């Protein structure tokens, strides 16, 4: 079965968050189910640089403003179709934002083009390649569903995955005439949203199936608290809405072989983690002692509950904990972390920025992986934590609720606990969870059992890849 994945990022070529990890890992996971997944991606500079030779498979005189071509290539084990369109994607700065951190003003063109090309491929643009299923991701891929629905193509089926409903791709009505959609698409059944154009909204309306990345988030987004205005539409479409948990790439994230670690180890040799802890302490300027080292690897945003962490730093330190923070994001939150580190030399360290290797070392050396998100569609850092024996301390929302088993006394007794959960997601809630974590840490037998249990949890793609495969099959069966 040929499936075309439509994604604005893909690991290892271009990543701003978990979407890249998922888009990069899913093709390999699906290959085991006889699914050939190709990925349609924008030709950003870092993608073009990785391409090498490639083969031109299609040319456009005018792809939303200028000439462009499609290049097929196999890179890092991924089958890519890259949209080589310099006027849309070849620029310095971030992939979504300019050097000043503002959204690119033409993002609507850049991602309309992505969806439009996907629909053209499904209509047979390239001889010998005609995917029957399009699997689009987030608002950047969502327009593929609208272009299929309004393009008179009744054979292609589209699955749209919501990785984060907070990002919806909303634009003014003035862009509509440039979208290459019939006028009929500018209403409730199409891309119209509160008088403007909503890319995610249109996709959710037009896709044949909607998925999101955990069962709990699939329920949450049908409520006003988490649906960000789209809850009504999702309730209407609930019969076609599925929550399928993300897995992780267990090859790239394997403490036995991970080259980014100072020492490799397995569930039976977690003692060696100490060497990583030492390396981590050095990197973050932390003292070595008998208290737990909390690690935080995250975008520094409101979603991730970073302000709640800032509120709890003094408390965490007073309980004998240390904190290592790796991340970047909102200026105010970065400042809060810089100040926390200045207030607690040797106890709190902050590395501002994005560092893939260091993120691995943190999983291999931290005692606790802190994930106190206000909402979390799935979350990957707690899954890496489980696999690496960095016990996750998570808020009870979304995928965090679905992947971590809280160490309440019953679970500890039964030996099934894998981490600590807390709710409500506020300062006192996290404070109490930190207290509980420190006290569990000082029960070495309980702690190491929890670590080992986590390390044995199946966080691979196996089960979820099977669910996606079954979903694609059922979509084709409905024709
Ligand atoms: P989200 O996609 O919402 O940011 P996820 O938990 O799904 O959250 O995925 C985040 C991914 O980005 C993980 O692979 C995590 O390790 C990585 N990551 C986040 N911040 C950093 C950072 N500063 N340096 C390196 N990796 C990071
Ligand atoms: C989004 C979500 C995160 C999820 C990731 C991959 O970025 O915020 O929870 O793990 O997508 O699906």
């Amino acid at each position: 079965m040929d499936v075309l994945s439509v994604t604005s990022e893909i690991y290892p070529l271009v990543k701003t968050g978990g979407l890249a990890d998922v888009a990069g890992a899913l093709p390999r996971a699906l290959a085991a189910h006889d699914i050939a997944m190709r990925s349609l991606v924008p030709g950003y500079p870092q993608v073009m640089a990785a391409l090498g030779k490639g083969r031109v498979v299609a040319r456009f005189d005018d792809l939303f403003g200028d000439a462009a071509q499609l290049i097929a290539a196999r890179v890092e084990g991924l089958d890519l179709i890259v949209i080589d369109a310099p006027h849309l994607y070849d620029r310095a700065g971030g992939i979504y934002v300019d050097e000043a951190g503002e959204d690119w003003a033409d993002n609507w063109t850049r991602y309309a083009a992505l969806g439009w090309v996907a629909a053209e491929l499904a209509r047979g643009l390239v001889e010998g390649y005609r995917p029957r299923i399009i699997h689009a991701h987030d608002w950047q891929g969502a327009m593929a569903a609208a272009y299929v629905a309004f393009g008179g193509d009744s054979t292609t089926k589209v699955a749209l995955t919501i990785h984060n409903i907070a990002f919806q791709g909303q634009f003014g009505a003035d862009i509509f005439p440039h979208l290459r959609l019939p006028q009929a698409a500018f209403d409730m059944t199409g891309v119209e949203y509160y008088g403007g154009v909503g890319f995610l909204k249109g996709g959710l309306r037009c896709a044949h199936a909607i998925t999101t990345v955990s069962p709990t988030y699939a329920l949450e987004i049908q409520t006003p608290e988490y649906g960000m205005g789209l809850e009504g539409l999702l309730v209407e479409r609930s019969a076609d809405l599925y929550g399928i948990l993300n897995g992780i790439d267990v090859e790239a994230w394997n403490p036995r072989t991970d080259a980014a670690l100072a020492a490799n180890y397995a569930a039976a040799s977690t003692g060696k983690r100490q060497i990583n802890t030492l390396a981590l302490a050095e990197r973050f300027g932390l003292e070595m002692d008998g208290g737990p080292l909390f690690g935080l690897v995250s975008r520094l945003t409101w979603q991730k509950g970073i302000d709640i962490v800032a509120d709890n730093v003094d408390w965490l330190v007073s309980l004998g904990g240390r904190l290592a923070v790796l991340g970047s994001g909102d200026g105010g939150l970065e400042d809060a972390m810089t100040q926390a580190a200045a207030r607690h030399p040797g106890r709190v360290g902050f590395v501002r920025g994005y560092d893939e290797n260091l993120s691995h070392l943190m999983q291999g050396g931290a005692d606790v992986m802190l994930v106190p998100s206000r909402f979390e569609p799935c979350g990957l850092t707690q899954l890496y934590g489980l696999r690496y024996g960095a016990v996750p301390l998570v808020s009870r929302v979304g995928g965090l609720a679905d992947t971590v088993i809280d160490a309440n006394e019953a679970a500890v007794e039964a030996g099934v606990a894998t981490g600590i959960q807390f709710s409500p997601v506020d300062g006192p809630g996290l404070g109490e969870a930190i207290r509980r974590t420190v006290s569990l840490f000082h029960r070495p037998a309980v702690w190491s059992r929890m670590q080992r249990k986590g390390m044995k949890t199946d966080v691979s793609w196996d089960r979820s890849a099977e669910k996606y495969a079954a979903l694609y099959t059922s979509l084709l069966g409905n024709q």
Side-chain angles (χ1 to χ4, degrees):
M1 187 192 300
D2 282 316
V3 178
L4 180 65
S5 169
V6 182
T7 180
S8 57
E9 30 187 296
I10 191 162
Y11 183 84
L13 303 186
V14 52
K15 165 167 165 177
T16 73
L19 167 60
D21 290 359
V22 171
L26 201 50
R28 189 171 343 135
L30 287 167
H33 297 272
D34 279 339
I35 290 169
M37 178 170 269
R38 288 193 179 193
S39 305
L40 179 68
V41 291
Y44 311 115
Q46 53 275 59
V47 172
M48 296 309 294
L51 262 194
K53 215 84 199 62
R55 198 162 41 89
V56 175
V57 293
R59 289 180 207 279
F60 307 101
D61 294 335
D62 176 14
L63 180 66
F64 291 83
D66 211 338
Q69 55 186 9
L70 296 187
I71 302 177
R74 202 172 156 79
V75 183
E76 306 262 3
L78 297 164
D79 277 316
L80 302 182
I81 301 177
V82 175
I83 308 178
D84 177 15
H87 62 295
L88 299 176
Y89 309 122
D90 181 18
R91 49 184 83 167
I95 57 175
Y96 309 129
V97 297
D98 63 19
E99 276 150 327
E102 297 295 321
D103 285 354
W104 292 111
D106 60 346
N107 270 349
W108 65 273
T109 331
R110 302 171 73 227
Y111 296 108
L114 180 65
W116 185 84
V117 170
E120 289 297 304
L121 284 166
R123 277 143 70 91
L125 173 69
V126 173
E127 207 181 302
Y129 180 63
R130 189 136 187 228
R132 301 270 39 97
I133 302 266
I134 290 178
H135 185 164
H137 298 276
D138 272 350
W139 75 266
Q140 295 93 334
M143 285 293 279
Y147 287 117
V148 167
F150 289 95
D153 171 358
S154 60
T155 58
T156 304
K157 300 296 170 187
V158 182
L160 173 60
T161 297
I162 304 169
H163 294 266
N164 192 337
I165 207 160
F167 303 110
Q168 301 187 353
Q170 266 155 248
F171 306 99
D174 53 317
I175 73 161
F176 182 78
H178 308 287
L179 287 178
R180 304 183 175 180
L181 284 168
Q183 192 57 40
F186 194 66
D187 79 356
M188 264 179 57
T189 64
V191 300
E192 189 273 333
Y193 191 48
Y194 292 114
V197 173
F199 278 27
L200 184 62
K201 183 267 167 178
L204 294 176
R205 185 51 85 188
C206 298
H208 300 90
I210 299 167
T211 77
T212 188
V213 288
S214 69
T216 293
Y217 195 61
L219 296 174
E220 287 172 344
I221 55 178
Q222 296 180 56
T223 68
E225 193 184 347
Y226 297 97
M228 309 255 173
L230 289 168
E231 58 275 7
L233 169 50
L234 289 165
V235 168
E236 264 179 63
R237 297 228 50 199
S238 59
D240 305 309
L241 171 61
Y242 306 85
I244 303 178
L245 270 181
N246 288 332
I248 63 171
D249 183 334
V250 291
E251 311 271 307
W253 292 91
N254 183 352
R256 290 166 184 265
T257 55
D258 193 330
L261 300 186
N264 293 113
Y265 58 94
S269 54
T270 50
K272 291 196 189 142
R273 295 184 88 258
Q274 196 62 14
I275 301 168
N276 297 316
T277 310
L278 193 61
L280 204 58
E282 261 171 32
R283 183 76 165 75
F284 282 86
L286 301 176
E287 297 158 359
M288 279 303 280
D289 65 12
L293 199 165
F294 291 74
L296 176 68
V297 182
S298 183
R299 295 185 285 119
L300 302 182
T301 64
W302 183 85
Q303 173 193 346
K304 300 294 181 177
I306 307 302
D307 52 320
I308 305 173
V309 175
D311 290 347
N312 272 286
V313 167
D314 298 353
W315 170 240
L316 185 153
V317 170
S318 77
L319 295 175
R322 289 161 294 163
L323 174 65
V325 179
L326 167 64
S328 62
D330 297 350
L333 296 171
E334 290 182 352
D335 290 346
M337 289 303 147
T338 305
Q339 284 159 17
R343 238 180 14 255
H344 299 287
R347 308 307 298 176
V348 177
F350 174 38
V351 172
R352 185 179 159 277
Y354 189 91
D355 185 334
E356 191 75 26
N357 278 328
L358 184 55
S359 78
H360 283 243
L361 182 63
M362 288 185 68
Q363 298 289 358
D367 298 301
V368 183
M369 190 47 52
L370 195 52
V371 196
S373 309
R374 286 199 170 79
F375 65 94
E376 197 59 78
C378 179
L380 297 176
T381 51
Q382 86 281 10
L383 300 179
Y384 301 140
L386 289 171
R387 180 136 170 96
Y388 279 65
V391 174
L393 189 181
V394 305
S395 50
R396 188 177 293 121
V397 296
L400 302 174
D402 291 335
T403 54
V404 172
I405 301 175
D406 178 61
N408 58 55
E409 274 312 307
V412 167
E413 274 301 306
V416 297
T418 59
I420 294 93
Q421 290 194 350
F422 72 96
S423 98
V425 191
D426 56 18
L430 175 59
E432 170 55 17
I434 291 172
R435 191 202 55 73
R436 207 150 63 84
T437 303
V438 172
S439 107
L440 285 161
F441 182 77
H442 290 301
R443 294 162 71 188
V446 169
W447 190 262
S448 66
R449 193 168 180 194
M450 200 152 73
Q451 252 181 336
R452 276 183 317 222
K453 189 74 194 168
M455 291 181 77
K456 288 183 178 143
T457 302
D458 182 6
V459 289
S460 75
W461 269 105
D462 293 351
R463 277 179 300 174
S464 297
E466 200 172 315
K467 289 185 183 151
Y468 280 117
L471 176 65
Y472 303 150
T473 305
S474 77
L475 285 175
L476 291 181
N478 289 344
Q479 282 190 14

